Amino acid sequence: MSAGGSGAAAEAIPQNKIIAFGVVGGLIGIYAAYFLVDIVGSYMSFIGALGAICGMVWGAASVRRVASYGLGTGVPSIGMLALGMGVLAATFGLAVGGVAGPVIALVTAAIIGLMIGVLANKILKMGIPIMEISMTEIATAGTITIIGLAIAMTGTFDFPVVLSQVITTGYIAVIFIAGGLAILHPFNACLGPDETQDRTLMCALEKGAIAMVVAGIVASINEGASGALTILIGLAIWYIGFSGYYERVKRDAYAVVGTGLLPTKEELE
């Protein structure tokens, strides 16, 4: 059971495998896009968004685990916190790290997340056994999301370019909102005693694909990235994610019916 307050959520896929998927897949996507854009061409920038989706699915899985202990309205907050920590870590890592920037950003995010988790349990007395590790994961997943989408928008993670084309222009807010929704929304959408891991993560994939499409729209005005290919692949992934999510909704629901429009006040009277 994974309704709020019921304790640890059931996991068909072990969290360690999801962590590996998020970290390895995220870094491969980030670095593959970075190098292939220079070697092959700007149309390879979409790979950065694929890495970001790995991070978003991992982040959603981590939110699911910690929220199953009963965060309540804290589920949206923890998603925003993930991207907030990610912005700090990504900005620092890319500013000082050069080619190693993404790795430095992930290490920084892990440290920040661990500190937040310790404060939540030791100072705020939240009493969630996995708070420290979950906050570490969520912060790191948020960082992968931000860097991956930034590359999809610009074709690089070189800090001067990210600063001028993503942060200064305000597109960082687009990443913050789209990435944050992909991390926080899936568990909220599936919350309840019949929530299942595969349905929640499929919802995360679908939301991550929307973030990829948004990144493609931004990329269409930047010379170093390919907007059209990113949008097309994002739409294909969205279709796969939405179809998979809907199939799992029908599988888990008692009934799927069309209720029509809500009755007006006059009809009720």
Side-chain angles (χ1 to χ4, degrees), residues 104-193:
I104 294 175
L106 296 194
V107 173
T108 304
I111 294 172
I112 295 173
L114 179 60
M115 292 173 59
I116 296 295
V118 170
L119 288 173
N121 261 355
K122 303 302 182 183
I123 305 300
L124 300 180
K125 306 294 184 183
M126 295 188 71
I128 297 177
I130 61 170
M131 177 59 81
E132 292 87 353
I133 183 63
S134 292
M135 292 308 301
T136 302
E137 291 182 32
I138 290 168
T140 311
T143 303
I144 289 174
T145 299
I146 288 170
I147 297 175
L149 291 178
I151 292 178
M153 290 179 176
T154 65
T156 183
F157 56 69
D158 289 340
F159 185 68
V161 178
V162 173
L163 180 63
S164 62
Q165 297 186 10
V166 177
I167 298 176
T168 304
T169 57
Y171 291 127
I172 188 66
V174 175
I175 293 177
F176 195 96
I177 295 171
L181 283 176
I183 290 175
L184 70 88
H185 177 69
F187 186 73
N188 257 0
C190 302
L191 181 63

Side-chain angles (χ1 to χ4, degrees), residues 199 243-256:
R199 177 157 51 96
S243 299
Y245 174 68
Y246 185 55
E247 286 300 316
R248 286 160 178 78
V249 168
K250 293 190 291 184
R251 178 199 68 191
D252 297 338
Y254 173 76
V256 179

Side-chain angles (χ1 to χ4, degrees), residues 1-127:
M1 301 285 282
S2 56
S6 62
E11 296 178 353
I13 305 173
Q15 186 67 11
N16 286 342
K17 291 186 177 181
I18 298 177
I19 293 172
F21 172 77
V23 175
V24 177
L27 286 176
I28 287 176
I30 287 169
Y31 277 105
Y34 179 75
F35 289 112
L36 288 176
V37 164
D38 286 338
I39 297 172
V40 180
S42 63
Y43 62 88
M44 300 303 291
S45 62
F46 77 90
I47 301 176
L50 298 181
I53 289 177
C54 293
M56 287 182 266
V57 171
W58 173 27
S62 300
V63 168
R64 175 182 182 269
R65 292 185 76 221
V66 69
S68 66
Y69 283 87
L71 285 181
T73 55
V75 175
S77 301
I78 205 169
M80 293 293 98
L81 180 61
L83 272 294
M85 293 185 289
V87 167
L88 290 175
T91 303
F92 174 76
L94 298 184
V96 304
V99 175
V103 176
I104 294 175
L106 296 194
V107 173
T108 304
I111 294 172
I112 295 173
L114 179 60
M115 292 173 59
I116 296 295
V118 170
L119 288 173
N121 261 355
K122 303 302 182 183
I123 305 300
L124 300 180
K125 306 294 184 183
M126 295 188 71

